[in-house]
C-alpha cells in the first residue's frame, strides 16, 4: 500500500471530506485536552507563566516530523507527494509577526478559537467574527498586497534542501532543540512561581515517567534517523527504458496545439494543463485553464499518479525534461504540447491562413480565424492574398461558425459561440504552489 | 464520566496532548498528503459572504473570484474545522469545561476584552493570509515537514507575540 492514500486514488473527493471531518475531530479533541480552549491559558505562554503553547505545539511538530521521516524512509509514504506551502521569506516573516501580535491581543489563533468557541468562550466567538471580517478586508486590500507577498518566492523549500544538511540530521537536531526548549520552559515556570506535576515534567525529574519515556522514544528514533539516509523515494524507481524510447519515437503522447484547441472549445479536454513557464510569462498570457507550476513543485502538485497531465513550456524543452522527470517518478499519463507555447501561439493564436484558392481552403481559413478569435488571438493573412486584397472570409468572418462538414481535418469542430471573447482568465496567484488553493492553511 | 461533579477536570499533560495533535497531523499526511489548517476555512466563509452580497463584483475581483465559483462548504478545510469544533466540544463536555464565559485578567473588563478579541481576530486574518498559513498550517504542518518558510514564520510569530505582550498585559495578568 502506498501513502498518501488520497493521492494514490484510494478514495475520492467526497470521502476526503469525511476524512477531513474525522481528522478535525481528533485535532480539536487534543487541542481542548491540552487547555487550548482557554484564552487565558494560551496567553499565559507570553508572560512565562504557563508554557503550554510551546509544549503542545512542539511535541506535535516533533511527533509528526519523526513519523513522516520513518514512514517515508521505510517506503510507505511518498514524501514528495506531501504538499508544502511555498516559501516566501518576506511574507512568511511579516505575516508571522502580525499573527503573533494578533494572538496576544485576540487571545487565540484560528484553530484554538474554534475549540474555545465550541466550549462557550464568548470572546472566542467574537474573535471568529473579527477574523472573518478581517479575511474580507484582506480580500479588498489584496490587489495592493499581492505584489510584495509573492515577491522573492522560493517555491517549496525545506531546511534540508536549502542547507544541504541531511534530512535525518535535521530531524535529530529539531528533537534535541525541542527537548532543551521544554526543559528551559519548565525552569522558567518554576522561576515565575508555577510548578507542573512531576509526571508532566522533564525538568528536575530523575525517573522514567511516561513523559520522559515519550521523549526518549522520539529522541532514539531521531538519532537513528540522523544515520539512516534520505526519506525520499527518488532513486529507487525502475523505468522501462525501451517503452520510454518507443513512446518518444512515435510521439504517441504529443498533443498538437490544434487538437488541444478543438478539445478545449468542445469541452472534451480531459488533461490537467500545466504551464511550466515563469510566473511572469504565465500572468501575461496562458492557455485557458492552465496552472502555473514550477518544475520542483511538480510531483506534489499532481493529485494522483493516474491523472492525465499535459505539460507545456515556451519551446517544449523544459516540458520534455519534466515529462521524463514525471515518468521517472511513476506518473504514467504525462503528455506534452507539441511545439510548446510557441507552437500554440503560432498555430492557434495567430495562424497564417491558407490562401483562399478554393472553397475548401476558404472554409478552413474561416475555421482557423474563428478558433484564433475564440482564444483571443488574431489570424494572419497570407502575403499573396493580402497583396490581392483578398481577405479570406469576407466581413465578420470571425463570427461565422466553423462548419463541421467542410472541415478538412475531420475533427470535432467548435460549437458556434466563437463570437464570445475569450473567458477572462482570472489572474490567479502565480502560484508556484501548484495552484491548488485548497491546500493552504 | 464526571456527571457527579461540576468542577472542571484538570487539563491533560500538555506533552500527551501534543503527542495526540502530532498523530492527528501525521494521519492527515498519510491519508491526504497535506497537513492541518484553519485560517483558510474562514477566508472561504468571507469569500462566500462577499459573493453572496455582490456576486458580479466578486466574480471579477482577483481575490474573491476563487470563492465565487465553488461552494465553500465543499472545501476540505471547512470540513476539518467543523470537526475541530465537534472534537473540542466533546472534549470540553467530557471534562466539564464548557461554560458561557468571557476570559480575561482581573484588571480588564468584558467590553474591552471583546473589542480586543475582534481586533486581534482581524489582525490575525491579515497575518495568516500574508504568511500563507496560521499556527496550524504554517506552524504545526510546515514545522513537521521542515518547511523553510514555516520556521521563519514561527520565529517572527513568537517574536511578535512576546514583543506585544508587555503592552497588553492588563488584559491577561
Amino acid at each position: 500500500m502506498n501513502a498518501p492514500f488520497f493521492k494514490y486514488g484510494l478514495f475520492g473527493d467526497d470521502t476526503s471530506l469525511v476524512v477531513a471531518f474525522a481528522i478535525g475531530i481528533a485535532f480539536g479533541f487534543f487541542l481542548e485536552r491540552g487547555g487550548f480552549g482557554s484564552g487565558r491559558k494560551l496567553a499565559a505562554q507570553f508572560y512565562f507563566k504557563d508554557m503550554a503553547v510551546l509544549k503542545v505545539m512542539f511535541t506535535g511538530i516533533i511527533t509528526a516530523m519523526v513519523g513522516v521521516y520513518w514512514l517515508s524512509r521505510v517506503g510507505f509514504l511518498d514524501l514528495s507527494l506531501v504538499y508544502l506551502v511555498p516559501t516566501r521569506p518576506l511574507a512568511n516573516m511579516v505575516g508571522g509577526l502580525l499573527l503573533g501580535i494578533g494572538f496576544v491581543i485576540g487571545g487565540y489563533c484560528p484553530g484554538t478559537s474554534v475549540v474555545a468557541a465550541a466550549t462557550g468562550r464568548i470572546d472566542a466567538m467574537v474573535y471568529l467574527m473579527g477574523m472573518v471580517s478581517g479575511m474580507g478586508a484582506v480580500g479588498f486590500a489584496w490587489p495592493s498586497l499581492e505584489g510584495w507577498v509573492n515577491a522573492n518566492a522560493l517555491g517549496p523549500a525545506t531546511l534540508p534542501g536549502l542547507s544541504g544538511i541531511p534530512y535525518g540530521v535535521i530531524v535529530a537536531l529539531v528533537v534535541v532543540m525541542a527537548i532543551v526548549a521544554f526543559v528551559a520552559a519548565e525552569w522558567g515556570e518554576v522561576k515565575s512561581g508555577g510548578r507542573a506535576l512531576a509526571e508532566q515534567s522533564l525538568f528536575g525529574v530523575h525517573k522514567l515517567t511516561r513523559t520522559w519515556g515519550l521523549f526518549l522514544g522520539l529522541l532514539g528514533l531521531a538519532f537513528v534517523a540522523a544515520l539512516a539516509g534520505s526519506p525520499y523515494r527518488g532513486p529507487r524507481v525502475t523505468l522501462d527504458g525501451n517503452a520510454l524510447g518507443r513512446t518518444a519515437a512515435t510521439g504517441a503522447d504529443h498533443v498538437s496545439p490544434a487538437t488541444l484547441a478543438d478539445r478545449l472549445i468542445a469541452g472534451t479536454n480531459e488533461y490537467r494543463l500545466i504551464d511550466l513557464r515563469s510566473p511572469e510569462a504565465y500572468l501575461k498570457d496562458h492557455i485557458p485553464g492552465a496552472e502555473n507550476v514550477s518544475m520542483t513543485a511538480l510531483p506534489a502538485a499532481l493529485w494522483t499518479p493516474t491523472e492525465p497531465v499535459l505539460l507545456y513550456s515556451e519551446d517544449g524543452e523544459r516540458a520534455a525534461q519534466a515529462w521524463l522527470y514525471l515518468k521517472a517518478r511513476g506518473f504514467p499519463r504525462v503528455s506534452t504540447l507539441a511545439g510548446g507555447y510557441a507552437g500554440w501561439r503560432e498555430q492557434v493564436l495567430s495562424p497564417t491562413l491558407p490562401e483562399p484558392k478554393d472553397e475548401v481552403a476558404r472554409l478552413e481559413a474561416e475555421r482557423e480565424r474563428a478558433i484564433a478569435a475564440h482564444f483571443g488571438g488574431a489570424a494572419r493573412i497570407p502575403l499573396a492574398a493580402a497583396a490581392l486584397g483578398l481577405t479570406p472570409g469576407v466581413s465578420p468572418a470571425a463570427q461565422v461558425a466553423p462548419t463541421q462538414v467542410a472541415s478538412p481535418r475531420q475533427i470535432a469542430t467548435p460549437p458556434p459561440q466563437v463570437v464570445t471573447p475569450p473567458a477572462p482568465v482570472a489572474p490567479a496567484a502565480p502560484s508556484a504552489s501548484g495552484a491548488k488553493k485548497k491546500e493552504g492553511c | 464520566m464526571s456527571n457527579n461533579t461540576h468542577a472542571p477536570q484538570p487539563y491533560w499533560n500538555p506533552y500527551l496532548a501534543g503527542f495526540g495533535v502530532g498523530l492527528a497531523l501525521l494521519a492527515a499526511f498519510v491519508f491526504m498528503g497535506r497537513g492541518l489548517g484553519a485560517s483558510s476555512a474562514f477566508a472561504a466563509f468571507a469569500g462566500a459572504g462577499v459573493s453572496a452580497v455582490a456576486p458580479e463584483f466578486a466574480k471579477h475581483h482577483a481575490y474573491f473570484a476563487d470563492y465565487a465559483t465553488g461552494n465553500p462548504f465543499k472545501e476540505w478545510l471547512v470540513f476539518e474545522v467543523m470537526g475541530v469544533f465537534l472534537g473540542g466540544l466533546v472534549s470540553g463536555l467530557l471534562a466539564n469545561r464548557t461554560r458561557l464565559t468571557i476570559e480575561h485578567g482581573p484588571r480588564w473588563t468584558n467590553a474591552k476584552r471583546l473589542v480586543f478579541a475582534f481586533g486581534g481576530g482581524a489582525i490575525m486574518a491579515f497575518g495568516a493570509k500574508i504568511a500563507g498559513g496560521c499556527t496550524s498550517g504554517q506552524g504545526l504542518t510546515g514545522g513537521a515537514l521542515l518547511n523553510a518558510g514555516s520556521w521563519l514564520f514561527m520565529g517572527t510569530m513568537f517574536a511578535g507575540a512576546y514583543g506585544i505582550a508587555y503592552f497588553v498585559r492588563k488584559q491577561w495578568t
Side-chain angles (χ1 to χ4, degrees):
Chain A
M1 203 152 58
N2 269 317
F5 299 148
F6 179 64
K7 297 203 174 182
Y8 276 96
L10 256 69
F11 53 85
D13 283 344
D14 290 342
T15 311
S16 82
L17 299 179
V18 180
V19 171
F21 191 62
I23 290 174
I25 290 175
F27 185 34
F29 181 87
F30 291 120
L31 285 178
E32 206 287 331
R33 290 281 124 172
F36 283 15
S38 161
R40 281 192 84 178
K41 188 169 169 72
L42 288 164
Q45 164 76 35
F46 304 105
Y47 300 94
F48 301 99
K49 299 271 188 237
D50 177 347
M51 308 294 274
V53 171
L54 180 90
K55 293 175 188 173
V56 173
M57 191 170 167
F58 279 87
T59 308
I61 288 174
I62 62 175
T63 301
M65 176 186 68
V66 169
V68 162
Y69 175 86
W70 279 109
L71 292 182
S72 303
R73 186 64 193 85
V74 299
F76 171 68
L77 176 68
D78 188 343
L79 184 51
S80 64
L81 292 179
V82 176
Y83 176 74
L84 275 177
V85 179
T87 289
R88 301 181 179 93
L90 180 64
N92 292 144
M93 290 195 288
V94 172
L97 199 65
L98 282 173
L99 217 110
I101 292 169
F103 197 161
V104 178
I105 293 177
Y108 302 98
C109 62
T112 55
S113 71
V114 175
V115 172
T119 51
R121 292 344 187 247
I122 296 165
D123 47 329
M125 299 170 198
V126 173
Y127 173 96
L128 282 171
M129 288 189 261
M131 191 165 56
V132 174
S133 312
M135 284 291 179
V138 182
F140 289 101
W142 196 243
S144 52
L145 293 175
E146 196 176 18
W148 70 262
V149 166
N150 287 322
N152 305 315
L154 296 182
T158 60
L159 297 176
L162 286 184
S163 67
I165 301 170
Y167 200 107
V169 172
I170 296 203
V171 166
L173 288 173
V174 170
V175 172
V176 169
M177 196 191 74
I179 293 176
V180 169
F182 296 152
V183 171
E186 291 180 11
W187 176 81
E189 286 170 348
V190 172
K191 287 285 156 194
S192 65
R195 183 78 176 97
L197 301 167
E199 62 265 30
Q200 300 188 4
S201 302
L202 296 171
F203 175 65
V205 175
H206 302 293
K207 58 177 180 185
L208 189 64
T209 56
R210 229 175 7 161
T211 304
W212 264 116
L214 170 66
F215 287 112
L216 288 178
L218 286 170
L219 203 57
L221 285 171
F223 278 147
V224 183
L227 306 168
S230 168
Y232 292 102
R233 280 186 182 182
R236 287 185 291 151
V237 168
T238 50
L239 268 180
D240 182 346
N242 291 332
L244 213 60
R246 276 194 302 276
T247 313
T250 58
D253 45 12
H254 293 182
V255 175
S256 77
T259 306
L260 177 65
D262 289 337
R263 289 183 186 168
L264 284 174
I265 293 173
T268 55
N269 170 47
E270 59 162 4
Y271 295 105
R272 181 153 161 216
L273 283 172
I274 304 278
D275 186 326
L276 292 158
R277 298 173 306 152
S278 68
E280 293 76 36
Y282 172 83
L283 274 188
K284 210 181 282 170
D285 57 352
H286 55 258
I287 300 177
E291 296 163 44
N292 188 217
V293 181
S294 69
M295 186 80 88
T296 45
L298 209 42
L302 300 185
W303 265 149
T304 62
T306 52
E307 97 186 295
V309 176
L310 181 63
L311 303 166
Y312 70 87
S313 56
E314 180 58 31
D315 58 5
E317 188 175 341
R318 291 191 71 77
Q321 292 175 325
W323 175 83
L324 190 58
Y325 177 33
L326 288 177
K327 289 274 183 187
R329 291 299 324 279
F331 292 89
R333 304 183 65 187
V334 190
S335 303
T336 53
L337 181 66
Y341 195 77
W344 173 264
R345 216 182 275 125
E346 178 69 29
Q347 293 170 43
V348 174
L349 292 183
S350 48
T352 301
L353 299 178
E355 286 201 46
K357 51 185 185 298
D358 56 20
E359 184 63 7
V360 173
R362 197 185 64 78
L363 287 169
E364 171 60 14
E366 272 177 25
R367 211 183 82 83
E368 288 189 16
R369 177 188 281 244
I371 292 174
H374 176 86
F375 289 104
R380 280 172 300 183
I381 301 156
L383 281 176
L388 291 170
L390 295 167
T391 50
V394 215
S395 69
Q399 303 187 10
V400 176
T403 43
Q404 186 138 20
V405 268
S407 170
R409 267 183 283 156
Q410 297 296 319
I411 28 178
T413 41
Q417 81 279 56
V418 265
V419 270
T420 46
V425 183
S431 51
S433 72
K436 280 284 167 182
K437 190 168 185 64
K438 295 184 199 173
E439 303 218 43
C441 174
Chain B
M1 64 201 268
S2 50
N3 291 336
N4 49 351
T5 165
H6 290 288
Q9 290 174 4
Y11 295 116
W12 267 13
N13 177 352
Y15 299 118
L16 196 60
F19 185 61
V21 166
L23 293 182
L25 180 56
L26 190 57
F29 292 141
V30 168
F31 278 84
M32 296 301 302
R34 52 170 300 160
L36 299 169
S39 54
S40 280
F42 299 100
F45 287 139
V50 171
S51 309
V53 175
E56 274 310 302
F57 166 79
K59 219 178 289 173
H60 298 108
H61 191 278
Y63 177 91
F64 293 116
D66 277 342
Y67 301 102
T69 44
N71 175 356
F73 294 100
K74 293 281 288 184
E75 292 270 340
W76 198 88
L77 282 168
V78 173
F79 273 73
E80 187 231 271
V81 165
M82 292 193 294
V84 170
F85 188 92
L86 183 62
L89 179 63
V90 167
S91 169
L93 285 173
L94 288 176
N96 264 330
R97 283 195 286 262
T98 49
R99 45 187 46 70
L100 220 50
T101 176
I102 299 174
E103 291 207 3
H104 54 76
R107 295 186 284 172
W108 210 241
T109 64
N110 281 348
K112 279 200 268 189
R113 171 72 194 107
L114 293 185
V115 170
F116 270 49
F118 190 91
I123 295 172
M124 193 62 113
F126 273 85
K129 206 65 215 179
I130 289 169
C134 58
T135 15
S136 309
Q138 283 284 17
L140 286 171
T141 303
L145 294 174
L146 302 179
N147 188 338
S150 302
W151 284 85
L152 286 175
F153 163 90
M154 282 193 279
T156 57
M157 185 192 88
F158 277 99
Y162 279 107
I164 199 78
Y166 175 80
F167 301 99
V168 295
R169 62 189 181 283
K170 284 187 183 163
Q171 180 175 220
W172 299 115
T173 59

